Amino acid sequence: MKIIDQNVQDIEKEIDSYHPNVKTEEIGWVTEVKDGVITLKGLDNVSYGEMITFDSGVTAMVIDLLEDQVGAIVLGNYLSLQFGDLAKATGKTLSVPVSDEIIGRVVNPLGEVIDGGSPIKADTLYPVEKMAPGVVARKSVTVPLQTGIKAIDALIPIGRGQRELIIGDRGTGKTTIAIDTILSQKGQNVICIYCAIGQKNSKVAGLVELLKENKAMDYSIVVSAAAADPASQQYIAPYSATAIAEYFLDKGKDVLVIYDDLTKHAYAYRQISLILRRPAGREAYPGDVFYLHSRLLERSCRVTEEYGGGSITALPIIETLENDVSAYIPTNVISITDGQIFLESDLFNSGIRPAINVGVSVSRVGATAQAKAMKQVAGRLKLDLAQYREKAAFAQFEGDLDEETKSLLGRGARMSQILRQKKNNPYDLATQVAIIWAAKGGYLDALPVEEVEIFEGKLVEALHTRGKKLLEKINDKKILGEEEEKELEKFVKELVK
Amino acid sequence: MSKKLGVIYSPYQLDEQEIKTVVAHFPVLREREIKNVVLEDLLAGVVIRYDTKLIDLSLSQGLQNLKYHVYENY
């Protein structure tokens, strides 16, 4: 049979299977169109969050129900809408189509592909807005999520199911930390979702390229609502990303979601709220701006075996102005998350990268979500660094200091040096443990501080060429036993000579 | 008190008997003042509107739904 005959047969079968049914639709008419937000009259029985459609195919989501009018945000080209256009309620809430095929793709907040590839065949639809799992469904965070960044994995450890905020001024390396965390998830059975909100298209394209080069797109998804996209898409983007994460969570997987960044998300919501003439509060944000982020971040958790045993780890990013963490949105999100990684522009400009202020940064989950090997070497590290910073002011009087203080300052300077790391260069657990073990054991005390970086490079190279078995042992067992320490000592002493 | 409005859209002007037939099938139209509006784009069938509700029984909408059904499933 010719292919065309087969196609015609298939279409006839589809037509025969079609059963039209009569239904009553709720309708309304556009009365105002303002920058992605429309006001309609009619739609008397529509629900909050319900989708409405127009004949042109444009869809909108109802977010304002008033006595005699309905407000909706347009999820498409609002420029095509006119006064009097007919809107029909669909009876459905906003959902994003999901399936395993979405892995490796770049999509918009509606689930439509924007990477030029073929459309995704969806298994199911997941609601964009959803209640977070209750207390009974949750399990405590105990499994580490390795970021591959020594300063974070040693001092501010993150666990699967935790929400850890990355906060700092523009250009301090927030996105770099997020991307390095994604790169570090290779082979860790974690699905990564990067949600770009209000970012430049060029930046998102660059990030996708970087992920492809490092084969990270094999386990990652990018959800993008760029700066040029309407505020409505920027508003729903993080919720869509979380809905996609929940699809994988329900399958028992561990998921990492990065929201870059929630400051722009708050700006988009402020724009929509002001157009809808909602009362403006502090800094012109609407009164429910806390709830905007709390309901988003509460959906990230670790669930019990009964609910699949998976987890969603969230790394929200907030941009501060002039390092002001006491501003409105930063304080809101700090109080929601389970810790923060604070990046300072002074540290960044002085060459300390990642520019993490270890004193102010915290992980409320802490060592509970840290691999035992890392706990063994980094247990006292935060305290030692705090003592070093306190005594560093005396460094200028070095000639007048006692030997113990000089030695403490020397050790602290070398420990601070090994916490520096190049961008897009994450280390696995074993390599991190080896480097920190060498510094903690005093093997670097004889080296000038300027040569510590060179030593670290040589140690990494030596371990990755001649020490593969040792690294594998530490990575598998996640413990630094006596045998492993002896082997490590051989490598370190050889290089120090 | 004035009656509420019910609008019947059709591809051609309906006569009294045709309007009575439509109203007989839709009890919600019985207590309403009926207005008939001609919309040739409907091709065939009728569209009934009352308050903020719409019942679309037109051929054009039926074809649109069929097109969507085939596109989604084939």
Side-chain angles (χ1 to χ4, degrees), chain A residues 480-496:
Chain A
L480 194 62
E482 267 186 47
E483 206 184 299
E484 286 85 32
E485 279 192 276
K486 281 190 185 139
E487 269 189 72
L488 203 45
E489 198 178 3
K490 277 188 216 160
F491 276 101
V492 171
K493 279 185 172 169
E494 197 184 298
L495 287 167
V496 167

Side-chain angles (χ1 to χ4, degrees), chain A residues 218-275:
Chain A
D218 295 347
Y219 52 87
S220 303
I221 301 154
V222 175
V223 178
S224 176
D229 288 332
S232 54
Q233 294 222 6
Q234 293 182 39
Y235 165 59
I236 63 162
Y239 300 105
S240 294
T242 312
I244 296 171
E246 283 167 343
Y247 167 72
F248 292 104
L249 173 74
D250 289 346
K251 288 182 149 198
K253 306 264 181 171
D254 290 322
V255 190
L256 167 69
V257 190
I258 291 157
Y259 304 104
D260 191 2
D261 57 63
L262 291 186
T263 315
K264 294 191 178 61
H265 181 235
Y267 290 167
Y269 186 57
R270 179 171 59 183
Q271 178 181 326
I272 291 167
S273 296
L274 288 172
I275 291 173

